[in-house]
Amino acid sequence: MKLSEKSPRVTTSASETAHNLGSTAARGALITLSGQGIRILLQIAGVVVLARLLSPHDYGLLAIVVVIIGIGEIFRDFGLSSAAVRAPELTGGQRTNLFWINAAIGVSLGGVLFAISGPLATAAGQIEVQSIARAMTVIFILNGLTTQFRAHLMRDLQFRRLAIIDVIAPAFALAVAISAALLGWGYWSLVAQQITQALAILVGTAVGARWLPGLPNQNVSVRPFLRFGANLVLSQIVNYGANNVDTAVVGFVYGPTSLGLYNRAYQLVVTPLSQIQSPVTSVAIPVLAKIQEDQRRFSAYIVRGQLALGYPISLGLVGVAVAAEPITRLMLGEQWLAAVPFLQLFAVAGIARNLAFVGYWVYVVRGLSGDLFRFSLATGLVPVICVVVGTQWGVLGVAAGFAIAPWLTWPVSLLWLSRVTAVPTRALFTGALRIIGVAGVSAGAAFSVTIALPAMPALLSIAVTAVAIGGTVGLLCLIPTIRRDAKSLLEVGVLVKRRKGL
């Protein structure tokens, strides 16, 4: 009798564990996406205000330095935040040693940027770049100190604290930037914004983590973390170089004004996309790491994750592509209308880049950083070749090359991943094709509606585009497979709202 009583208790415990994990994932997604929604609204407000206070030349000067900062930031993290989050066990000594490694890398990179600031300004032909680069060396130091505090919060699934930090820090930084721009600081307003945000995030994560590192301990080994991080950072460097060769070409060949136009269009599309992908990843990786031994459940999460990211983001990017001109006119002003074709091409590129994103989760969770590096190395030349060929048609050709590249590489990314680990390849391919089909039909319908109607105010034109896309999606839901996808997305929404298991 006692044995029969114990058996259901074991079953209940397992069920409760699955339910709690799903509840955590749902709650984390709700909190994280809510925070990012506010952050994106702040970014839009910043773009609208600062674009009217600063010039494309100001943005171009900062963008030249930001490209270098981006490369350094990959080395500064060294993949150790992901390594710490995915580790089955992490001792206090390991966490402390990782903290000091990231801090040391940050200080070293700050010194390197200071040293190359002069040659960088000479190469860009803009003397202002030297002082901008020297001022921004402090960002490496601040971010180096932040890395393990943030990883600590992610590992402990403290999504609420992260969301609060990720809203307050950019809001405070934006207030500083607007104030500085009103005082006539020009590009220094943007520098102040970057530094202020890095400092605010450091303070927020340090307080939120409720943890302080001790002194480095040579008796505590972190070699497995460094080995994982080394492969991850190599793949990130290859990807970053491949994905930013366009910015480098525009900046150094066509000058800061062209780069300012190009960069603003890029930021309008890619930054919000990253601000959705990054926090969702901070929820997905620790959750997937806990269920990776259950292949059926793991595969179901991956497929659902692709649909949950793919449909709303792809349809949003379709709206951006169709309504690029009124969006630019409304958000940036008349002086930025030359950025419209760039905005359209980046939206097209964003759809393909987003479809391949769930594969990154699998590489990280399964500890396949070496395979990720080899894939990145094998496909890294594709965007470089596309951009170089595109230079024959000027800056617009560069943007077109950037847009074409991810459409060539995302199918390869799924096939490559299926060779190194078990993934639901067929389900991911068919799901992606449905997303592309819905996005394509919606784009055609919305574009036809906007062409047929007479000229409208910018805000009304954007609203009409949104209604046309929504109406088209509604009609496409008459197709059974699309209707099943819509039902799955609604279930995810209900689960998040109710905080029930996924």
Side-chain angles (χ1 to χ4, degrees):
M1 185 68 178
K2 290 182 179 180
L3 288 175
S4 64
E5 289 175 352
K6 289 182 179 180
S7 179
R9 289 181 183 177
V10 173
T11 304
T12 302
S13 176
S15 175
E16 287 177 354
T17 299
H19 173 81
N20 290 338
L21 181 59
S23 179
T24 300
R27 186 166 57 252
L30 174 63
I31 293 169
T32 303
L33 291 177
S34 297
Q36 286 307 111
I38 297 172
R39 187 176 179 182
I40 290 172
L41 289 176
L42 285 170
Q43 182 196 22
I44 292 172
V47 168
V48 171
V49 176
L50 290 175
R52 286 162 172 77
L53 297 174
L54 304 173
S55 69
H57 184 80
D58 292 329
Y59 279 101
L61 290 173
L62 185 78
I64 292 171
V65 180
V66 167
V67 170
I68 306 301
I69 293 281
I71 297 173
E73 278 294 286
I74 296 173
F75 282 106
R76 187 270 309 159
D77 182 272
F78 206 75
L80 298 182
S81 59
S82 296
V85 171
R86 69 164 296 276
E89 295 182 4
L90 184 66
T91 67
Q94 289 172 328
R95 181 172 286 156
T96 289
N97 283 356
L98 292 175
F99 172 87
W100 289 112
I101 289 171
N102 283 128
I105 295 174
V107 172
S108 300
L109 289 170
V112 171
L113 180 59
F114 191 92
I116 68 170
S117 59
L120 180 63
T122 301
Q126 303 291 324
I127 190 61
E128 301 97 326
V129 168
Q130 180 173 359
S131 55
I132 293 173
R134 289 182 174 179
M136 293 182 70
T137 57
V138 70
I139 291 177
F140 283 129
I141 300 171
L142 296 172
N143 288 348
L145 296 171
T146 299
T147 306
Q148 290 305 317
F149 288 129
R150 190 175 189 90
H152 180 90
L153 290 170
M154 290 173 60
R155 182 176 174 83
D156 289 350
L157 307 179
Q158 297 294 329
F159 303 121
R160 185 184 300 276
R161 294 180 190 174
L162 282 170
I164 292 171
I165 294 165
D166 287 341
V167 168
I168 292 177
F172 185 53
L174 176 59
V176 170
I178 293 174
S179 300
L182 289 171
L183 292 173
W185 285 24
Y187 57 80
W188 284 112
S189 308
L190 301 174
V191 175
Q193 182 181 24
Q194 298 283 325
I195 295 174
T196 301
Q197 181 165 317
L199 178 59
I201 290 175
L202 170 59
V203 173
T205 53
V207 172
R210 298 176 182 175
W211 164 77
L212 289 176
L215 295 175
N217 189 340
Q218 295 182 355
N219 296 322
V220 176
S221 175
V222 291
R223 288 183 181 178
F225 299 90
L226 293 172
R227 186 163 50 249
F228 174 88
N231 284 319
L232 189 60
V233 76
L234 287 173
S235 64
Q236 289 173 336
I237 285 293
V238 173
N239 284 328
Y240 186 86
N243 290 327
N244 285 274
V245 65
D246 58 322
T247 301
V249 167
V250 173
F252 289 102
V253 175
Y254 301 104
T257 300
S258 294
L259 179 58
L261 291 166
Y262 189 93
N263 180 259
R264 277 300 84 194
Y266 182 88
Q267 294 300 325
L268 277 176
V269 174
V270 178
T271 298
L273 179 61
S274 299
Q275 288 177 349
I276 294 172
Q277 291 175 335
S278 178
V280 169
T281 297
S282 72
V283 175
I285 288 179
V287 171
L288 289 171
K290 296 179 186 301
I291 62 168
Q292 59 180 306
E293 300 302 325
D294 185 343
Q295 182 57 45
R296 182 189 63 80
R297 196 166 170 224
F298 185 87
S299 296
Y301 269 53
I302 292 297
V303 172
R304 184 169 284 189
Q306 183 195 53
L307 295 177
L309 276 178
Y311 273 112
I313 289 178
S314 296
L315 292 172
L317 290 172
V318 162
V320 171
V322 174
E325 182 174 342
I327 288 174
T328 302
R329 195 183 301 277
L330 180 67
M331 296 184 63
L332 302 180
E334 299 292 331
Q335 64 171 331
W336 294 87
L337 286 178
V340 168
F342 303 143
L343 192 64
Q344 293 172 321
L345 289 168
F346 294 147
V348 171
I351 295 173
R353 292 178 67 174
N354 186 57
L355 290 175
F357 193 73
V358 293
Y360 175 76
W361 298 349
V362 179
Y363 280 114
V364 173
V365 171
R366 292 275 168 86
L368 302 171
S369 57
D371 294 291
L372 178 59
F373 169 60
R374 285 185 282 275
F375 167 74
S376 301
L377 202 61
T379 59
L381 280 178
V382 174
V384 175
I385 292 172
C386 289
V387 167
V388 170
V389 171
T391 57
Q392 299 180 56
W393 294 275
V395 183
L396 188 59
V398 171
F402 175 86
I404 292 170
W407 288 98
L408 299 177
T409 57
W410 84 260
V412 179
S413 70
L414 287 181
L415 293 174
W416 188 289
L417 183 61
S418 68
R419 293 178 56 191
V420 298
T421 191
V423 288
T425 309
R426 182 174 181 178
L428 290 174
F429 264 123
T430 55
L433 290 175
R434 292 196 300 275
I435 292 169
I436 293 169
V438 170
V441 173
S442 300
F447 184 74
S448 299
V449 169
T450 56
I451 290 295
L453 294 176
M456 297 174 287
L459 193 58
L460 179 59
S461 180
I462 294 170
V464 168
T465 300
V467 170
I469 292 172
T472 304
V473 172
L475 290 174
L476 290 174
C477 284
L478 296 174
I479 302 172
T481 53
I482 306 302
R483 188 165 61 250
R484 283 195 295 270
D485 286 346
K487 183 180 178 181
S488 177
L489 292 178
L490 288 174
E491 288 173 352
V492 171
V494 170
L495 290 169
V496 169
K497 184 177 180 180
R498 295 180 180 176
R499 301 181 179 183
K500 290 186 177 181
L502 292 175

